[in-house]
Amino acid sequence: LGGVVNVRESHWVAFVISIEEQLILYGDSLSLSDDTVVNALSWWISIHCEELFTVQQLPIGLQSDGISCGLFAVNALSHYFFP
């Protein structure tokens, strides 16, 4: 399962949940330290699975402007699912 979510009302980040690998991948093109999304995903997973999931970084480019985060997030997902 993968997706793009909005944080801080103005920034898009990408995530992947791999049930088989028991893994949460999280990618933020601004490298902001915000555990809100990972904590929410971990909580949601805990409702549906007994296993503990590991959190790792989803490879993502670093943006140099303030507007292209959505493109970086979708690009990271595309590269993950279609290498």
Side-chain angles (χ1 to χ4, degrees):
L1 171 68
V4 175
V5 295
N6 187 275
V7 295
R8 300 182 184 186
E9 298 182 17
S10 62
H11 182 55
W12 296 95
V13 297
F15 72 89
V16 172
I17 299 172
S18 174
I19 301 295
E20 291 175 352
E21 298 177 76
Q22 298 174 347
L23 186 64
I24 299 171
L25 298 168
Y26 177 75
D28 182 346
S29 60
L30 285 178
S31 294
L32 299 174
S33 110
D34 186 345
D35 294 333
T36 306
V37 173
V38 171
N39 289 342
L41 292 172
S42 296
W43 170 82
W44 183 79
I45 290 167
S46 73
I47 300 296
H48 302 284
C49 300
E50 294 180 7
E51 298 84 6
L52 293 177
F53 279 57
T54 303
V55 177
Q56 293 181 4
Q57 185 173 351
L58 177 66
I60 191 168
L62 297 177
Q63 70 183 81
S64 59
D65 61 20
I67 60 171
S68 59
C69 53
L71 295 173
F72 277 86
V74 171
N75 187 53
L77 286 178
S78 295
H79 280 278
Y80 179 83
F81 288 110
F82 306 107

